[in-house]
Amino acid sequence: SQKIEQNSEALNIQEGKTATLTCNYTNYSPAYLQWYRQDPGRGPVFLLLIRENEKEKRKERLKVTFDTTLKQSLFHITASQPADSATYLCALVTGADKLIFGTGTRLQVFP
Amino acid sequence: NAGVTQNPKFQVLKTGQSMTLQCAQDMNHNSMYWYRQDPGMGLRLIYYSASEGTTDKGEVPNGYNVSRLNKREFSLRLESAAPSQTSVYFCASSESGTGGWSGELFFGEGSRLTVL
């Protein structure tokens, strides 16, 4: 069956460190992979998109990698801050108008 | 710019009651979506509308109906609510899904529904 897996356990890190979140998928060949941020009680907000022919994408303190051979994306936040605490969702674009989401990983950054 | 607006924000229903969740977007997007989010299950697509006048089933359409009233509005109806439909419902919109679509979605703030 088709699955998108994110670590269901919360990731707790100290302020200033790099947070790394993982998204693994099976039985998909996505054209794009996206990452969203979701704060408690709010809707998800788009952060970054990476295409299948791109290895890495950066935006300020955020970096995303996409390995189509391993079927994995890594999401990095460098110099993390308490304000980065949220749940992060990966999503795959599997065809026109179709976006499939992972279950999300909660990140907690401690001062 | 309001983006995607959902109403109501909170609703409590009794089993068997019906209700409609309203969604409107002001970004002139062609595609609109309804997702539900449950603990441990992530966001699951209920129905989507690629353009005005069209609707299609997503992953979990049973027990729901939708109406794409016009380009701005996309409603979700529960005809006979069941406790299994207790969830947080999100409406989203995006630019056209055809030809090189990258899929960025813009979400509303959610509608929290409890069915007793």
Side-chain angles (χ1 to χ4, degrees):
Chain A
S1 62
Q2 299 169 323
K3 286 199 305 185
I4 304 171
E5 292 184 336
Q6 295 184 257
N7 194 337
S8 59
E9 294 182 8
L11 177 63
N12 299 311
I13 66 166
Q14 191 173 21
E15 182 176 9
K17 303 291 187 183
T18 296
T20 299
L21 286 70
T22 303
C23 176
N24 295 298
Y25 60 93
T26 59
N27 298 328
Y28 286 114
S29 295
Y32 307 90
L33 187 144
Q34 303 178 353
W35 285 87
Y36 288 77
R37 169 182 172 141
Q38 186 174 22
D39 291 288
R42 309 294 297 274
V45 175
F46 173 81
L47 294 175
L48 276 173
L49 174 151
I50 187 165
R51 294 174 171 80
E52 61 179 338
N53 60 352
E54 297 177 317
K55 297 291 186 190
E56 181 179 299
K57 198 77 167 283
R58 292 177 184 262
K59 180 182 176 182
E60 298 173 351
R61 294 184 295 110
L62 308 181
K63 184 178 84 171
V64 172
T65 63
F66 191 12
D67 189 325
T68 55
T69 300
L70 293 179
K71 294 187 181 293
Q72 180 182 79
S73 175
L74 299 179
F75 177 81
H76 307 272
I77 306 176
T78 59
S80 58
Q81 305 166 0
D84 295 325
S85 299
T87 295
Y88 292 86
L89 310 172
C90 72
L92 304 183
V93 178
T94 60
D97 307 309
K98 290 287 183 63
L99 197 64
I100 310 297
F101 283 84
T103 54
T105 299
R106 188 163 61 89
L107 172 67
Q108 187 75 41
V109 181
F110 292 96
Chain B
N1 192 345
V4 178
T5 303
Q6 294 182 230
N7 284 296
K9 303 290 192 292
F10 300 91
Q11 184 72 49
V12 178
L13 291 176
K14 294 181 179 178
T15 296
Q17 288 186 317
S18 62
M19 78 158 298
T20 299
L21 299 177
Q22 308 285 355
C23 175
Q25 52 92 8
D26 62 4
M27 294 172 283
N28 201 36
H29 284 164
N30 287 312
S31 300
M32 297 186 73
Y33 309 80
W34 277 105
Y35 284 87
R36 61 178 288 174
Q37 187 174 39
D38 303 289
M41 301 294 288
L43 283 160
R44 292 182 292 169
L45 183 63
I46 305 171
Y47 270 94
Y48 67 101
S49 171
S51 61
E52 185 179 355
T54 69
T55 60
D56 286 287
K57 295 179 180 179
E59 181 185 357
V60 288
N62 291 342
Y64 305 96
N65 286 303
V66 290
S67 296
R68 184 73 183 268
L69 305 171
N70 48 56
K71 191 171 185 178
R72 290 187 64 248
E73 298 173 288
F74 188 39
S75 64
L76 178 72
R77 182 160 179 84
L78 287 70
E79 291 291 350
S80 179
S84 61
Q85 294 178 305
T86 293
S87 188
V88 181
Y89 292 86
F90 287 100
C91 178
S93 70
S94 74
E95 294 179 1
S96 174
T98 58
W101 179 64
S102 62
E104 177 182 349
L105 297 188
F106 295 81
F107 283 86
E109 292 300 314
S111 298
R112 285 145 187 84
L113 175 65
T114 301
V115 183
L116 304 176

